[in-house]
């Protein structure tokens, strides 16, 4: 199966769907919001062509479920808030928003939420129906999505760490893995594997920057948030916990070793320096803002959530309740790609083990997601200056 | 339930889905194609802003299934053919296409077809990946869909005969129907019912013209195809056949009379004169071309199709095979709205009776769909001339 066909969040609205398991992402959005507002503020001051009439925006890797529209809401609110600050005008410019994700993404479920979303936007934000136009543009964001110089602002949260493909050469023709027992580019991976992943990320992120710079108007903005490398002191990240769970299944004879060895995630956790270096090297964008932040695995968890009820695990201590929360979120993101390689049948056992590992990490106080946020402005064309 | 929630074609890819039952529509598209080409020819000659760089197009009421992309293919081919005629250029302008239908439409199934569609377009038409950008804009086409003066060409096939709502006042507060035993504005409807339907169509079509004229650039084109009134000699149309089937169910005690009396389709079959008059009255558009055409119910039927195999009806004569074909197509379009009112359970019986009625009409040689095609150009703003 093509990577694009398995790389999507769990669809629908069931207990393991992405739609029902994204409080963590909501928390990240609150971290992103001040930077988003500042980004929009600078964009509106830059006075790009047509921006006062209709501002054109896209969310790249929008996924499905309530977060998709929370991002849209944040963008709309930021535009309206800044617009009023700057001009004291009550008239809102039209906003045309394109939601982008892969062809297999569950757009239908997002579209069904739109009528009530539009009504809410009108009631709470005074945004008249028809003044915010939400459309979808399916396809890989490593390819062209929009006409040349047509967009004002591109946003992407937790997507650009997904590679366009697993780096080639990780498994030899004879089926021998260069990354034995490991499922991504981790500290434990041999240097050639780490290099192959870095090369793939460099290639993909360079393509991403080049293509989307072509789509943006000169002076247009891009705001990206993605996972990134943590500190030495952070201990294991969630991918490590998953890797450990898979290894345990192999050791206990429940999964063939060959299955593990032939699996590598199309995902890379870059360091801040790597991201900075690629942007500078590619050359289309100026970096306006760059920071990293840490969020605990169980951030966004609240005892009021019904994760406890929905949990399949016996609740015998607080870490386990929180671990169930972490697992539900993680599963919503990773299950499709894992199930397509390891099979549906092993998923409950795999995520049960993942949850136990997550509980241990939480008990040790070292369960963190490390994220990076970068705000970019498209440099003027040489002919513009 | 809101009308917008039940008014959609049968989704998915099953035997009664719209996706599998649209050979008839394909035939109509071949009727539309020469007019489409002429429309595009005039549009490209009119030299609208930005049109040589990126031509912006929408298909309003795109439905789901292969026809959705056949329409897109026809539009792309027309643009490329005319572009080459006019300028002998090998360079294709980018085409940005918006597929529009109601929020409940099955867009996911269309998106899943896009990767192979793009590859085919590249192979057969030399359209490089990324030079044709297909997005979706969900929502009612009786509301704003696109930014002001942003579009070059709007296309709609077999959609504008759907009203935004059933005309009000057809059933009194006491539940007494003004259109007893009838399910739309037919020849047999009392004059006040016919007037209520005409008023609703006039209101809706006027709104449609006004809103989409705002979205079009001055000189932009709109090409609409819809069903229309037939001649006296045409006999019963398919809605009449459906109405007769429902009445038979009532007579035989299989359906409550109240159910029939409280049902009216949100659909109107206008005459050519009515359409012409509304366009002139609304005033934003100039009529470039207007014609009606007839297509037999069983047009597009071929014995090679697997309708015979898929038919639930016993095949005992040719009309019945053709009637099964007609029924499959009709069912794909009308089942959702009928099932939401009359219940799922009665659907097989209802369509069985419909098929028998259709076979009779075909035997008498008077089964026709009457269609109308109108090509419009947005008049220049007063300030433009």
């Amino acid at each position: 199966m093509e990577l694009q066909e398995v790389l999507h969040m769990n669809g629908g609205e069931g207990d393991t769907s992405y739609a029902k398991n994204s409080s963590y992402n909501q928390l990240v959005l609150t971290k992103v919001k001040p930077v988003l507002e500042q980004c929009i503020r600078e964009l509106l001051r830059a006075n790009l062509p047509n921006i006062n009439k209709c501002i054109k925006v896209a969310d790249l890797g929008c996924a499905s479920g309530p977060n998709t529209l929370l991002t849209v809401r944040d963008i709309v609110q930021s535009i309206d808030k800044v617009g009023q600050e700057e001009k004291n005008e009550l008239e809102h410019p039209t906003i045309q928003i394109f939601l982008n994700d892969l062809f297999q993404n569950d757009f239908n479920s997002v579209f069904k939420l739109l009528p009530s979303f539009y009504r809410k936007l009108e009631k709470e934000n005074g945004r008249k129906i028809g003044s915010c136009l939400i459309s979808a543009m399916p396809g890989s964001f490593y390819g062209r999505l929009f006409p040349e110089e047509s967009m004002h602002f591109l946003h992407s949260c937790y997507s650009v760490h997904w590679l366009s493909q697993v780096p080639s050469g990780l498994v030899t023709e004879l089926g021998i893995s260069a990354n034995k027992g490991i499922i991504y580019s981790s500290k434990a991976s041999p240097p050639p594997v780490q290099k192959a992943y870095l090369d793939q990320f460099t290639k993909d992120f360079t393509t991403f920057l080049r293509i989307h710079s072509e789509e943006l108007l000169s002076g247009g903005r891009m705001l990206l948030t993605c996972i990134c490398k943590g500190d030495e002191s952070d201990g294991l990240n969630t991918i490590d916990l998953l890797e450990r769970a898979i290894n345990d299944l192999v050791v206990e004879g429940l999964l063939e070793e060959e299955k593990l060895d032939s699996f590598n995630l199309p995902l890379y956790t870059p360091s801040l320096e790597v991201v900075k270096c690629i942007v500078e090297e590619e050359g289309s964008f100026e970096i306006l803002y760059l920071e990293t932040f840490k969020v605990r695995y169980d951030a966004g968890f609240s005892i009021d959530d019904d994760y406890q009820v929905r949990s399949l695990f016996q609740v015998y201590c607080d870490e386990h309740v929180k671990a169930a929360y972490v697992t539900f979120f993680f599963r919503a993101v990773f299950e499709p790609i894992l199930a397509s390689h390891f099979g549906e049948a092993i998923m409950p056992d795999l995520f049960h083990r993942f949850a136990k590992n997550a509980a241990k990490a939480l008990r040790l106080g070292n369960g963190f997601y490390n994220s990076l946020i970068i705000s970019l402005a498209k440099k003027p064309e040489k002919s513009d200056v």
Side-chain angles (χ1 to χ4, degrees), chain A:
Chain A
M1 214 174 335
E2 291 243 349
L3 176 60
Q4 294 195 8
E5 289 172 29
V6 294
L7 191 55
H8 57 87
M9 309 297 103
N10 263 347
E13 291 163 29
D15 272 359
T16 60
S17 69
Y18 182 75
K20 282 237 172 128
N21 294 285
S22 39
S23 329
Y24 170 77
N25 263 7
Q26 292 177 21
L27 194 103
V28 169
L29 287 179
T30 65
K31 288 253 175 203
V32 171
K33 200 164 181 188
V35 189
L36 171 66
E37 269 182 28
Q38 184 54 25
C39 185
I40 298 280
R41 186 168 291 116
E42 288 162 5
L43 173 64
L44 292 186
R45 280 184 191 155
N47 243 328
L48 270 60
N50 212 31
I51 202 167
N52 291 319
K53 226 175 124 189
C54 175
I55 174 163
K56 299 197 178 201
V57 171
D59 187 31
L60 309 178
C62 65
S64 61
N67 278 353
T68 304
L69 293 180
L70 282 183
T71 303
V72 173
R73 188 205 58 190
D74 283 357
I75 292 173
V76 172
Q77 284 181 346
S78 299
I79 291 171
D80 287 347
K81 184 180 166 191
V82 172
Q84 289 187 4
E85 275 171 23
E86 298 291 307
K87 297 181 228 142
N88 278 320
E89 274 180 26
L90 288 171
E91 191 81 20
H92 298 304
T94 299
I95 307 176
Q96 186 175 35
I97 299 182
F98 292 85
L99 302 174
N100 157 262
D101 212 309
L102 293 174
F103 296 107
Q104 302 289 323
N105 185 54
D106 187 4
F107 285 99
N108 282 357
S109 72
V110 178
F111 291 168
K112 283 173 191 161
L113 299 172
L114 285 178
S116 68
F117 180 76
Y118 283 134
R119 282 194 296 270
K120 212 171 158 193
L121 220 50
E122 182 166 41
K123 201 175 154 201
E124 293 176 9
N125 297 70
R127 263 269 158 209
K128 267 191 286 182
I129 305 277
S131 72
C132 175
L133 304 163
I134 301 173
S135 52
M137 177 60 204
S140 164
F141 53 50
Y142 293 121
R144 177 57 82 86
L145 298 171
F146 307 108
E148 225 177 289
E149 299 189 34
S150 66
M151 305 296 290
H152 297 105
F153 177 56
L154 301 176
H155 178 267
S156 178
C157 189
Y158 275 25
S159 298
V160 294
H161 47 247
W162 289 105
L163 302 171
S164 69
Q165 59 171 74
V166 175
S168 56
L170 297 188
V171 181
T172 68
E173 277 177 26
L174 296 170
I176 297 163
S177 169
N179 204 23
K180 217 173 154 41
I182 309 177
I183 62 169
Y184 77 119
S185 175
S186 82
K187 287 172 223 162
S189 296
V193 170
Q194 296 196 22
K195 183 174 181 306
Y197 264 100
L198 173 59
D199 288 351
Q200 186 66 47
F201 179 75
T202 303
K203 189 177 161 222
D204 284 343
F205 192 48
T206 302
T207 302
F208 182 92
L209 293 167
R210 182 180 53 76
I211 284 188
H212 300 304
S213 76
E214 288 167 7
E215 294 166 351
L216 281 167
L217 286 150
S218 177
R221 296 299 199 267
M222 187 146 78
L223 182 66
L224 311 175
T225 308
C226 69
I227 57 170
C228 69
K229 277 211 170 37
D231 310 324
E232 285 301 320
S233 62
D234 285 344
L236 302 177
N237 68 32
T238 45
I239 314 283
D240 297 321
L241 302 181
L242 171 69
E243 187 178 287
R244 187 164 285 190
I246 299 172
N247 272 287
D248 287 348
L249 287 170
V250 171
V251 168
E252 293 176 35
L254 297 166
L255 200 66
E256 290 164 39
E257 190 166 9
E258 182 277 324
K259 272 280 175 200
L260 164 56
D261 286 347
S262 59
F263 183 71
N264 287 289
L265 277 171
L267 181 136
Y268 187 72
T269 55
S271 66
L272 183 137
E273 291 69 31
V274 160
V275 168
K276 192 161 171 270
C277 174
I278 296 173
V279 172
E280 286 169 354
E281 192 67 26
E282 194 277 331
S284 304
F285 290 95
E286 187 188 342
I287 298 175
L288 301 178
Y289 183 85
L290 176 58
E291 77 159 322
T292 59
F293 61 90
K294 267 183 202 310
V295 182
R296 270 180 66 91
Y297 290 167
D298 54 349
F301 170 78
S302 152
I303 203 72
D304 295 335
D305 287 348
D306 57 351
Y307 290 96
Q308 189 166 1
V309 180
R310 285 154 53 197
S311 167
L312 300 168
F313 316 105
Q314 205 185 348
V315 179
Y316 55 93
C317 103
D318 195 38
E319 273 86 35
H320 287 264
V321 182
K322 288 183 181 173
Y325 160 79
V326 175
T327 305
F328 270 116
F329 169 64
F330 190 84
R331 182 170 185 168
V333 176
F334 286 92
E335 182 161 7
I337 194 165
L338 293 170
S340 86
H341 184 85
F342 296 108
E344 292 285 350
I346 200 89
M347 290 299 111
D349 195 356
L350 177 60
F351 285 108
H352 179 70
R353 285 156 195 268
F354 174 88
K356 284 211 288 192
N357 296 343
K360 206 181 294 174
L362 287 166
R363 200 157 49 241
L364 295 170
N366 61 6
F368 291 104
Y369 293 107
N370 285 281
S371 300
L372 175 154
I373 182 162
I374 184 165
S375 175
L376 301 165
K378 181 181 170 182
K379 293 180 188 168
E381 306 285 328
K382 272 171 201 146
S383 60
D384 295 351
V385 279

